[in-house]
Amino acid sequence: MSNAAEAMPVQAPAPSIIEMQAVHKWYGEFHVLKDINLVVGRGEKVVVCGPSGSGKSTMIRCINRLEEHQQGRIIVAGIELTSDLKNIEAIRREVGMVFQQFNLFPHLTVLENLTLAPIWVRKMPKKDAEETARYYLERVKIPEQADKYPGQLSGGQQQRVAIARSLCMKPEIMLFDEPTSALDPEMIKEVLDVMVELAQEGMTMVCVTHEMGFARTVADMMVFMDRGEIVERAPPQDFFANPKSERTRLFLSQILAH
Amino acid sequence: MADIDIAEEIPLPAQQRPPVVTSGVIGWLRANLFNSVFNTILTILAVYLLVMTVPPLIRWAFIDAVWDAPNGQACRGEGACWAFIGEKWRFIFFGRFPYDAQWRPLFVVVIIIGLVLASCDRRLWGRRLMLLWPAGLVVVGILMSGGVFGLRYVPSEYWSGLPLTLILAVVGMLFAFPFAILLALGRRSNLPAVRVVSVAYIELVRGVPLITVLFMASVMLPLFLPEGVTIDKLLRAQVAFILFAAAYLAEVVRGGLQAIPKGQIEAADALGLGYWRRTRLIVLPQALAMVIPPLVNNFIGAFKNTSLVLIIGLFDLLNTANTALTDSNWQGFASETYVFVAAIYFCFCFFMSRYSQRLERTLNRGHRR
């Protein structure tokens, strides 16, 4: 990963890598995202939290256009997201995503899961793609599972494969949509460890998660959402110590209670 | 499972142990055939029916059968007259194809079966097989019609019997299947025009019997063609058959497409695969593997449906068999003929069914979800 870490500061002088300006979205009549303004700098780690149904997943899924916004602008890695398929695919190449349900391809082996996109999208020769894949499997600490099928792995292992799959595309940004919510408690740590390492290497990360311990460790900025709005944003020490809004305080008291 | 563990840890009192005789012939009989009054009655009934039907059948087909006879008169007796099949098998297989050139359709049958068998081996799946198919079909076309390389020209009216059935079926599936996939994808497309056309096509064709489609192809279509333009009758039947089979297959494929979880599509999108790569690499491999049983069901149905072309006067396997029955020297051997033809159909269909079971197992290996 040292290459990527070195390459990062050299690249484009852009101060921000994700920019959401006055973004709105509706599901039918339901206003899911209300006037979202968010700027994420290169290498910055943003943790998004909030009650369920608050629109956090929808927001990060707008960043790689898994959801379409209806108003406002979203600019990712210097490219504006419009309905232009070329732009969408260009952005998706640079943005990795990890899902709550892993979404590995069950008909392919772990190695094939990892090499698929590099071979078909990045046009990487098969041998190089496999080399990269083995490197990232090593990084997520399951090199011995390369030839198994996803169904033969535990949840924690599957999620680590999913992270490795995204990393194989050498993305500039990683989105995490509740990556540990579907895991048994004893497997959460192995996934978070991988994510912490990734954060320490300078990856730009936007994570929707309720793991507040993780948030404290890695976040540069906490974003709290409720009912489709960004209610509060602050560095983690301020966010946890003295939240400004009543809603944030209530939410934190609920999830930190036990 | 849990019960067994407990049983091992805490010995049960002797009278609660399961009955001793559960293995061996008597145990098996008792467990499977005589385990209740109702099942005992059913077993006795079934045995009675078998005793009534099987020995006479064996007597007819083998013991009393006549294997060799100069003509129909000499062949009449209690048993089957297999001499008739011995006399007519060549006509049933190759029909009206010129007698001295019948090695050509024989090769065609061998080539088609060879191609199908090669395609059944997953290790051979790849570009070379994709090239082998068109090459094989060109050779089939040359062998059947001739007119080049010193082969006598044989118009398609004379193509008949097993080669015709196999050509209709195999070429039919070969074209119908990809078309069906496109139709199924079209039916689920986001583009309204594509969706409407696909739905309309599928519903229209499915709502009409195959015989009607064949009639339209053979009788109505020529009426609409301009003067002097003719399209070969076999070709018309073949196209009608493809268009018909595709509509059915499309619905089966759609069933598979619908069973793909949304997360799979999102994951493929997030990796930037784009629609066609996503469809080819992620969606279709999973969707098709899931629908192998109904897919093969359709293939078997379509294979047997080829026999309907006799309605428009093509000489497929069933029609050549029918024609063989009209020989005035050999009257009244319909049972033998139909048993023989049924056995041929059965061989092909049974092969398809067995192969699909094997394929299902290999594709689902290590594929738990």
Side-chain angles (χ1 to χ4, degrees):
Chain A
M1 196 57 211
S2 57
N3 314 351
E6 281 162 21
M8 208 90 55
V10 186
Q11 265 179 12
S16 64
I17 192 160
I18 304 174
E19 238 173 285
M20 301 179 90
Q21 299 167 359
V23 170
H24 287 262
K25 178 173 175 60
W26 290 263
Y27 284 134
E29 288 293 299
F30 180 57
H31 203 170
V32 245
L33 295 181
K34 300 171 190 161
D35 192 28
I36 300 289
N37 289 283
L38 183 72
V39 176
V40 180
R42 201 175 281 280
E44 203 178 353
K45 289 102 188 103
V46 176
V47 169
V48 183
C49 61
S52 67
S54 59
K56 11 182 234 309
S57 284
T58 309
M59 183 186 78
I60 75 162
R61 287 157 62 89
C62 280
I63 297 174
N64 65 350
R65 195 69 166 197
L66 288 185
E67 303 281 352
E68 201 175 316
H69 62 287
Q70 285 141 340
Q71 233 179 65
R73 301 176 70 196
I74 300 178
I75 299 152
V76 181
I79 307 167
E80 174 156 11
L81 268 175
T82 58
S83 50
D84 185 348
L85 273 177
K86 278 230 158 52
N87 283 355
I88 294 172
E89 280 174 23
I91 285 173
R92 283 174 176 168
R93 281 198 289 272
E94 306 310 326
V95 180
M97 184 160 210
V98 175
F99 299 86
Q100 184 177 352
Q101 299 296 342
F102 330 135
N103 294 346
L104 294 176
F105 305 129
H107 62 302
L108 302 176
T109 63
V110 166
L111 196 67
E112 288 165 342
N113 264 279
L114 267 59
T115 55
L116 184 93
I119 289 174
W120 290 95
V121 180
R122 289 263 192 242
K123 309 288 179 204
M124 206 186 265
K126 191 169 177 225
K127 233 182 114 226
D128 298 359
E130 283 182 357
E131 213 169 285
T132 315
R134 289 191 194 278
Y135 169 76
Y136 281 110
L137 279 181
E138 192 87 44
R139 291 275 322 277
V140 300
K141 301 177 189 70
I142 35 175
E144 72 285 358
Q145 311 287 5
D147 298 317
K148 289 202 180 158
Y149 285 90
Q152 296 166 308
L153 306 184
S154 73
Q157 290 173 324
Q158 290 195 44
Q159 193 60 298
R160 284 184 282 155
V161 171
I163 294 173
R165 177 174 70 180
S166 290
L167 292 177
C168 280
M169 284 292 282
K170 309 260 168 80
E172 294 192 51
I173 304 164
M174 284 287 284
L175 307 175
F176 292 85
D177 188 3
E178 306 208 28
T180 56
S181 300
L183 293 175
D184 292 335
E186 73 270 22
M187 292 170 183
I188 291 178
K189 187 175 175 299
E190 64 190 49
V191 171
L192 290 181
D193 285 348
V194 168
M195 290 168 62
V196 169
E197 250 180 64
L198 196 57
Q200 283 161 354
E201 280 156 15
M203 175 66 77
T204 309
M205 289 164 70
V206 181
C207 312
V208 172
T209 181
H210 292 140
E211 296 295 333
M212 290 303 139
F214 168 79
R216 270 186 235 265
T217 321
V218 307
D220 298 311
M221 184 175 42
M222 295 296 297
V223 169
F224 174 70
M225 285 183 74
D226 192 16
R227 290 173 225 163
E229 295 170 307
I230 293 182
V231 176
E232 187 158 351
R233 70 188 88 201
Q237 54 273 29
D238 300 343
F239 183 81
F240 289 110
N242 40 33
K244 289 188 189 59
S245 115
E246 186 55 40
R247 281 195 266 175
T248 315
R249 221 168 296 152
L250 185 66
F251 174 75
L252 285 176
S253 74
Q254 276 166 350
I255 72 163
L256 298 174
H258 45 84
Chain B
M1 281 289 126
D3 295 348
I4 293 164
D5 293 339
I6 292 165
E8 275 168 7
E9 280 166 33
I10 312 159
L12 293 168
Q15 74 272 19
Q16 285 192 16
R17 287 190 177 281
V20 187
V21 191
T22 51
S23 59
V25 178
I26 294 173
W28 186 89
L29 285 176
R30 191 180 289 162
N32 292 293
L33 300 176
F34 299 103
N35 57 349
S36 72
V37 177
F38 182 64
N39 277 357
T40 306
I41 294 172
L42 279 185
T43 302
I44 292 170
L45 256 176
V47 168
Y48 174 74
L49 276 175
L50 288 176
V51 168
M52 293 302 288
T53 54
V54 173
L57 192 67
I58 291 175
R59 212 172 308 129
W60 177 80
F62 300 104
I63 299 169
D64 292 344
V66 182
W67 301 90
D68 204 7
N71 56 48
Q73 278 336 91
C75 206
R76 237 162 266 290
E78 290 292 297
C81 173
W82 297 124
F84 176 71
I85 303 297
E87 174 78 16
K88 293 290 182 192
W89 68 270
R90 239 179 114 156
F91 184 81
I92 293 174
F93 272 128
F94 303 123
R96 309 196 301 161
F97 206 89
Y99 194 82
D100 56 330
Q102 283 183 359
W103 60 272
R104 282 157 56 179
L106 177 66
F107 267 99
V108 164
V109 169
V110 171
I111 289 170
I112 291 179
I113 291 177
L115 280 172
V116 170
L117 286 179
S119 311
C120 285
D121 191 338
R122 283 195 73 209
R123 284 165 302 177
L124 299 179
W125 290 4
R127 194 157 294 156
R128 219 176 308 163
L129 197 62
M130 299 272 271
L131 295 174
L132 202 60
W133 268 101
L137 291 181
V138 167
V139 174
V140 164
I142 291 172
L143 279 174
M144 285 310 276
S145 73
V148 281
F149 307 123
L151 294 173
R152 179 155 33 118
Y153 173 65
V154 179
S156 69
E157 299 104 273
Y158 292 96
W159 303 9
S160 34
L162 186 62
L164 184 78
T165 293
L166 288 182
I167 288 172
L168 278 172
V170 171
V171 175
M173 316 287 185
L174 211 60
F175 284 88
F177 190 44
F179 184 37
I181 290 174
L182 289 179
L183 279 173
L185 291 172
R187 189 162 188 169
R188 290 171 55 76
S189 166
N190 294 326
L191 309 170
V194 175
R195 196 169 53 236
V196 166
V197 169
S198 305
V199 172
Y201 177 85
I202 291 169
E203 295 305 336
L204 196 71
V205 174
R206 277 202 312 169
V208 177
L210 176 56
I211 294 189
T212 320
V213 180
L214 288 173
F215 264 131
M216 281 199 272
S218 79
V219 181
M220 274 170 62
L221 190 66
L223 300 180
F224 298 120
L225 287 176
E227 200 80 24
V229 177
T230 54
I231 303 177
D232 184 82
K233 187 174 180 182
L234 175 61
L235 184 64
R236 278 180 275 144
Q238 179 77 78
V239 170
F241 188 71
I242 290 168
L243 297 181
F244 186 80
Y248 276 84
L249 288 171
E251 285 299 276
V252 174
V253 174
R254 184 166 72 98
L257 294 178
Q258 269 166 346
I260 301 295
K262 202 158 167 268
Q264 291 289 306
I265 293 175
E266 288 178 351
D269 281 347
L271 287 168
L273 284 178
Y275 178 82
W276 288 106
R277 285 196 203 112
R278 176 184 91 197
T279 303
R280 190 156 75 81
L281 300 167
I282 305 301
V283 176
L284 282 179
Q286 295 184 64
L288 296 181
M290 248 183 283
V291 295
I292 287 174
L295 217 48
V296 172
N297 198 24
N298 261 267
F299 281 157
I300 289 176
F303 180 71
K304 292 186 293 186
N305 272 349
T306 57
S307 59
L308 288 174
V309 296
L310 77 87
I311 298 275
I312 56 166
L314 292 179
F315 281 81
D316 76 313
L317 186 59
L318 190 59
N319 206 1
T320 54
N322 272 338
T323 311
L325 288 174
T326 58
D327 186 341
S328 54
N329 282 329
W330 297 81
Q331 283 291 305
F333 300 112
S335 312
E336 290 83 348
T337 310
Y338 290 129
V339 166
F340 179 64
V341 171
I344 296 170
Y345 276 106
F346 178 81
C347 288
F348 286 101
C349 295
F350 189 65
F351 169 79
M352 283 193 257
S353 145
R354 297 303 302 198
Y355 174 69
S356 84
Q357 285 171 21
R358 222 186 63 197
L359 188 64
E360 221 178 310
R361 268 200 306 276
T362 40
L363 290 183
N364 287 334
R365 194 187 295 149
H367 188 143
R368 296 178 283 133
R369 246 188 300 193

